[in-house]
Amino acid sequence: MVRMQEAVSVDAERDVGERVDVGELAGVDRGRQICECDHGDDEGYQPCGRTAKWRVTVDCVCGEGHPRRVEILCSRCMRTLRQIQGREAITVRRL
């Protein structure tokens, strides 16, 4: 049995009451992005401060179900991350 649904016309001037802030949309250029790598000590977070060029996704493959991490990094911090990661799979994309 096939169900048919009637087409409903949409009034272009009808306000549906939904608004999205551009800052909440993924992939929208937000200007100069700063590297998120933590260069601080035990007392607090201190961002790197360089211009970020890479979106790095780290997938843990140890089998314990760790969540995926996404970081925005500069080239130097991305290179360091690749050197120190052992069992994680890293995917790098340009911003």
Side-chain angles (χ1 to χ4, degrees):
M1 180 160 134
V2 177
R3 291 185 177 193
M4 301 295 283
Q5 187 174 6
E6 288 184 32
V8 179
S9 66
V10 178
D11 186 7
E13 295 182 23
R14 185 174 178 186
D15 185 16
V16 294
E18 294 209 17
R19 299 197 182 271
V20 177
D21 184 17
V22 174
E24 296 173 4
L25 296 175
V28 174
D29 183 19
R30 293 180 189 91
R32 182 175 177 251
Q33 291 185 320
I34 304 298
C35 180
E36 298 175 346
C37 189
D38 186 6
H39 288 256
D41 52 14
D42 294 337
E43 295 180 14
Y45 171 76
Q46 181 178 354
C48 171
R50 292 185 189 91
T51 301
K53 295 183 180 179
W54 305 101
R55 179 181 182 269
V56 180
T57 305
V58 182
D59 291 309
C60 182
V61 293
C62 74
E64 294 184 18
H66 295 112
R68 172 182 288 168
R69 291 187 343 246
V70 176
E71 300 179 14
I72 306 298
L73 302 176
C74 67
S75 294
R76 182 182 294 178
C77 293
M78 185 268 300
R79 192 172 33 245
T80 302
L81 180 68
R82 279 189 161 167
Q83 292 172 354
I84 64 174
Q85 294 298 324
R87 299 189 60 176
E88 282 80 9
I90 298 175
T91 305
V92 179
R93 292 189 178 94
R94 195 155 191 57
L95 286 177

